[in-house]
């Protein structure tokens, strides 16, 4: 079911009432499980595309102490490092401590944001290569929404492959919209070069609802079907670099696959051929 709703904007932020408060400027719902939102950006915040921050809301009042404590979770920043606003992509969990509340935010509301970005899905954690793979499941697309709008991605690589595996087709809407928007982004086309988006090969798949391409990306790679569909050579440590962001089982399976292909895991302190977002679980 597609519940995509029109985007609403607010022009001015309210005076903050929460600690580390930022004002919500846009909210968009895609399905009964997924939504995205934008908020103001702290003036002092500097981050690298692909990093995450802690965001949240105030929790319920503790009946024993009468105090409220903040509910904070790690969220990948979906907007690129140069953007004036912050963007996030989230699931809705009806009984979740945070998302049961967060899914009801609207423009003008406030969220808490700890301005201390961290993360491994950054270009600095990879050594130079010719082709980069972004592997995502569900809301794991968020850091790649940032990196797909980061000029360095196209300066560093000749080819950018983004795979996105979800259960149902409507869960692909957010990622598809991001990629489609690149073609008409005048700023990026001017900064990076006209037609930069032609370097992207987008490979969405579903596992439950019937779609143009069915199957788990790991199975499609192991069978060779993904390589054939994309018309690319198999993964190799000489040319390929990769980033992984998804559920724990997906992350671990892909780590094993990449290492079997000869790629080594990197980090900010020791760049190598692939990285995985350990803090993210969708």
């Amino acid at each position: 079911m597609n519940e995509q709703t029109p985007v609403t904007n607010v022009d001015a932020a309210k005076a903050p009432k929460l600690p580390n408060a930022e004002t919500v400027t846009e909210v968009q719902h895609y399905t009964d499980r997924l939504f995205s939102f934008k908020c103001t950006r702290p003036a002092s915040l500097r981050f690298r595309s692909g990093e995450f921050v802690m965001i949240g809301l105030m929790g319920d009042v503790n009946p024993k102490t009468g105090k409220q404590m903040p509910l904070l979770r790690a969220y990948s920043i979906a907007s690129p490092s140069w953007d004036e606003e912050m963007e996030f992509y989230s699931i809705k969990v009806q009984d979740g401590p945070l998302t049961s509340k967060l899914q009801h935010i609207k423009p003008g509301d406030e969220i808490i944001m700890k301005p201390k970005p961290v993360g491994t899905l950054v270009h600095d954690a990879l050594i130079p290569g010719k082709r980069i793979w972004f592997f995502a499941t569900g809301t794991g697309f968020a850091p790649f929404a940032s990196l797909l709008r980061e000029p360095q991605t196209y300066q560093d690589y000749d080819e950018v492959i983004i795979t996105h595996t979800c259960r149902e087709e409507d869960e692909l809407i957010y990622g598809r919209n991001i990629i489609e928007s690149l073609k008409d982004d005048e700023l990026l086309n001017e900064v990076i070069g006209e037609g930069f988006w032609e370097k992207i090969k987008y490979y969405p798949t579903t596992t439950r609802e019937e779609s143009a391409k069915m199957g788990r990306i790991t199975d499609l790679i192991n069978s060779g079907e993904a390589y054939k569909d994309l018309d690319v050579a198999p993964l190799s440590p000489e040319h390929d670099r990769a980033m992984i962001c998804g559920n724990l089982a997906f992350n671990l399976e892909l780590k094993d696959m990449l290492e079997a292909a000869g790629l080594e895991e990197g980090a900010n302190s020791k760049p190598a051929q692939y990285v995985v977002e350990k803090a993210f679980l969708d």
Side-chain angles (χ1 to χ4, degrees), residues 43-57:
S44 61
L45 178 62
R46 299 291 181 271
F47 69 92
R48 295 173 295 175
S49 294
E51 291 187 311
F52 65 86
V53 290
M54 302 295 290
I55 66 171
L57 299 168

Side-chain angles (χ1 to χ4, degrees), residues 160-179:
V160 180
I161 300 175
I162 172 73
T163 79
H164 192 198
T165 299
C166 296
R167 296 181 303 178
E168 301 172 357
E169 194 160 15
D170 277 357
E171 295 173 350
L172 297 168
I173 291 173
Y174 175 79
R176 184 180 294 118
N177 286 354
I178 291 291
I179 290 172

Side-chain angles (χ1 to χ4, degrees), residues 31-72:
T31 74
D32 58 0
R33 293 187 66 250
L34 297 167
F35 73 107
S36 67
F37 64 95
K38 294 183 180 182
C39 67
T40 54
R41 176 173 177 167
S44 61
L45 178 62
R46 299 291 181 271
F47 69 92
R48 295 173 295 175
S49 294
E51 291 187 311
F52 65 86
V53 290
M54 302 295 290
I55 66 171
L57 299 168
M58 294 302 293
D60 296 329
V61 176
N62 186 312
K64 294 182 179 180
T65 64
K67 296 181 179 180
Q68 284 180 289
M69 295 296 289
L71 290 170
L72 300 173

Side-chain angles (χ1 to χ4, degrees), residues 124-137:
D124 293 343
L126 296 175
I127 58 176
K130 292 184 177 180
R131 180 172 66 182
I132 189 164
W133 294 73
F134 295 147
F135 293 106
T137 63

Side-chain angles (χ1 to χ4, degrees), residues 48-53 76 117-127 132 134 143-144 147 157 242-246 251 255 265-280:
R48 295 173 295 175
S49 294
E51 291 187 311
F52 65 86
V53 290
S76 292
V118 292
T120 56
L121 300 186
V122 293
H123 288 304
D124 293 343
L126 296 175
I127 58 176
I132 189 164
F134 295 147
F144 304 133
L147 287 157
Y157 299 98
M243 296 186 180
I244 309 168
C245 192
N251 290 356
K255 275 170 58 72
E265 184 173 2
N268 282 280
S269 58
K270 188 181 179 181
Q273 293 147 330
Y274 83 90
V275 287
V276 57
E277 187 52 271
K278 297 179 176 64
F280 183 89

